[in-house]
Amino acid sequence: MGREIETKCIHLESEEDCIKNYGAISYPIYQTATYAHPGVEQSTGYDYSRLQNPTREHLEKIIATLENGNDAFAFSSGMAAITMAMELFKPGDHLIVDSDLYGGSIRLFSNVSEKNGITFSRVDCYKEDVEAYVQDNTKAIYIETPTNPMMNVTDIRKMAEIAKKYKLLLIVDNTFLSPYFQNPLELGADIVIHSGTKYLGGHNDTLAGFLVTKSEEISERFRFLIKTTGAGLAPFDSWLILRGVKTLGLRMERAQENAIEIAKWLKTQPAVTKVIYPGLEEHPGHEIMKKQARGFGAMLTFQLRSKEDAFTILEKVRLIQYAESLGGVETLITYPTTQTHADVPEEIRIKNGITDATLRLSVGIENIKDLLEELERVFGELEEKEW
């Protein structure tokens, strides 16, 4: 019987057989660029930190364990990780990608990957017939679930079956749920992506990205690419993510509890026309989430009556902070139209349901009483303005 995930966040079982690093409980930061050799054609196992660094290696082992993968790779940001995943493909290759993705992913695919000769079919994977988009040159299916920011839920097992049938890779961005709530590799995915900046780090104080796989062939390719491109995560940032991961379980549980209460509260507000949160039973992906995940996460999106309502809320919040990003201990509210999805063409935003009255909430771990008091104050002022 394997250890539970809360324990895996803190302890790397494979390194418990001996006391290392002078018995330090906090894994050391090996702040070095290069390493001395004991002799000719001899190595300590490390040669140059662009290739590997002990702190980064320890972090990668932890992340691989959490996702039940064989190997993980830590990058300087989530976008660096996604960029590296695209290096598996060559000019002439075709990918099926979800229509509703993080704006940075869409920007990368449209402005860099397409320039490099890769073509894309953008599909609502949660509801469309994905098989209908498979071409002779299709190499992969790329999804987020839930999606950013519209919280669409795609059946990972179903996508894995399609990928296997046509000998495609299935790539899943698992940032919104983290390995604590969802493990796509166990559901048939080939590669899992994380923006480690978000829930894995959890404190809005550093950038990081991860790729995780079970495939030895993919692992060898990524190991070559990470040393060649120099996109690996620095030692100090690796340590910050290690520190953050230790409390992943506690943070995810508390943030989810808060998110459920806030989603229910928002449903009672006259200014809110729609609340999109998979934890609500009316969400179309609710039952799929119950089958493929251990929780619903702490991200939710809601629609307001007007752009003016959205702007008023963004101007009035104080405890809840108006900022990009997500997954930290602080509750953040984001305006996708001008922030996370600003570079997404308007027709795509509108098609996906992102309007000028859409707000996204990353619920933190503050006391729910204080968060609801903040919302009551802000929405109260909004209703007074209407009168």
Side-chain angles (χ1 to χ4, degrees):
M1 190 71 178
R3 290 180 174 177
E4 298 299 323
I5 192 166
E6 296 91 342
T7 305
K8 290 181 180 179
C9 286
I10 302 170
H11 300 282
L12 188 59
E13 191 171 5
S14 63
E15 295 190 1
E16 291 178 350
D17 56 339
C18 61
I19 296 296
K20 298 166 64 175
N21 304 310
Y22 304 98
I25 298 300
S26 174
Y27 198 89
I29 305 169
Y30 285 88
Q31 195 65 48
T32 182
T34 192
Y35 306 82
H37 297 281
V40 178
E41 296 185 353
Q42 296 181 44
S43 173
T44 60
Y46 303 94
D47 302 312
Y48 194 62
S49 280
R50 174 163 49 79
L51 282 68
Q52 190 53 290
N53 173 280
T55 314
R56 191 178 92 207
E57 183 178 56
H58 187 76
L59 171 62
E60 290 174 342
K61 288 178 179 178
I62 290 281
I63 301 301
T65 299
L66 295 181
E67 280 290 10
N68 299 316
N70 292 338
D71 206 356
F73 306 83
F75 296 90
S76 57
S77 69
M79 287 311 305
I82 297 171
T83 300
M84 190 63 67
M86 290 300 106
E87 288 298 321
L88 294 176
F89 310 106
K90 63 182 186 302
D93 286 348
H94 169 257
L95 276 68
I96 297 168
V97 301
D98 205 294
S99 294
D100 185 40
L101 295 174
Y102 166 57
S105 302
I106 295 174
R107 180 174 58 233
L108 174 72
F109 298 161
S110 299
N111 295 282
V112 179
S113 301
E114 287 185 356
K115 178 262 296 181
N116 291 337
I118 301 170
T119 58
F120 298 87
S121 291
R122 292 171 173 82
V123 182
D124 289 323
C125 294
Y126 75 102
K127 66 178 182 180
E128 290 192 66
D129 178 11
V130 172
E131 285 192 71
Y133 293 87
V134 177
Q135 304 173 11
D136 291 341
N137 59 337
T138 304
K139 302 299 180 183
I141 301 170
Y142 183 105
I143 65 172
E144 296 173 357
T145 182
T147 61
N148 182 359
M150 300 311 294
M151 307 303 293
N152 299 320
V153 176
T154 299
D155 189 327
I156 298 174
R157 288 188 180 92
K158 182 178 178 181
M159 290 301 106
E161 288 172 3
I162 295 171
K164 185 176 181 180
K165 179 178 178 180
Y166 293 97
K167 298 181 180 179
L168 312 177
L169 294 177
L170 176 59
I171 304 171
V172 181
D173 187 325
N174 196 32
T175 297
F176 266 24
L177 289 186
S178 87
Y180 183 76
F181 281 140
Q182 184 170 265
N183 297 123
L185 294 179
E186 294 295 290
L187 302 170
D190 298 287
I191 299 168
V192 171
I193 294 174
H194 284 283
S195 173
T197 310
K198 312 306 192 295
Y199 288 109
L200 292 173
H203 292 79
N204 289 318
D205 56 9
T206 191
L207 302 180
F210 294 92
L211 296 174
V212 192
T213 184
K214 281 186 174 182
S215 165
E216 291 186 10
E217 181 181 354
I218 295 173
S219 175
E220 288 179 8
R221 182 66 178 151
F222 281 152
R223 194 58 67 189
F224 173 81
L225 286 168
I226 196 170
K227 76 174 182 180
T228 302
T229 62
L233 191 61
F236 184 69
D237 298 291
S238 296
W239 181 83
L240 284 173
I241 301 296
L242 275 171
R243 183 190 62 172
V245 166
K246 290 183 178 183
T247 59
L248 178 64
L250 295 171
R251 290 185 286 104
M252 294 303 295
E253 292 286 356
R254 176 59 175 266
Q256 178 177 246
E257 289 174 8
N258 286 348
I260 291 170
E261 292 303 311
I262 289 174
K264 291 177 180 177
W265 185 89
L266 286 170
K267 287 178 61 179
T268 69
Q269 300 305 300
V272 178
T273 61
K274 188 176 184 180
V275 179
I276 312 170
Y277 177 64
L280 297 173
E281 290 186 3
E282 64 265 27
H283 189 287
H286 182 79
E287 292 303 319
I288 295 174
M289 283 276 282
K290 286 169 67 175
K291 293 177 183 177
Q292 69 185 21
R294 294 177 293 274
F296 300 103
M299 297 298 302
L300 62 90
T301 295
F302 59 100
Q303 302 280 11
L304 294 152
R305 294 172 300 201
S306 66
K307 176 181 179 179
E308 290 69 29
D309 282 350
F311 277 24
T312 297
I313 289 171
L314 295 173
E315 291 284 349
K316 297 291 185 181
V317 290
R318 292 294 178 269
L319 172 66
I320 297 171
Q321 297 172 83
Y322 170 28
E324 292 193 56
S325 200
L326 60 102
V329 293
E330 303 89 356
T331 298
L332 303 180
I333 193 165
T334 299
Y335 190 55
T337 298
T338 61
Q339 291 184 301
T340 57
H341 291 69
D343 290 336
V344 177
E346 184 178 7
E347 63 272 17
I348 295 178
R349 288 204 309 269
I350 298 301
K351 176 182 177 293
N352 290 344
I354 305 170
T355 73
D356 56 11
T358 302
L359 294 178
R360 190 192 74 183
L361 200 62
S362 170
V363 182
I365 66 170
E366 301 94 339
N367 188 287
I368 188 61
K369 175 177 175 290
D370 295 323
L371 290 174
L372 291 177
E373 284 183 357
E374 166 92 338
L375 290 170
E376 287 167 357
R377 175 185 63 79
V378 172
F379 275 80
E381 293 184 30
L382 185 64
E383 292 307 312
E384 288 177 7
K385 182 179 177 182
E386 288 296 313
W387 283 98

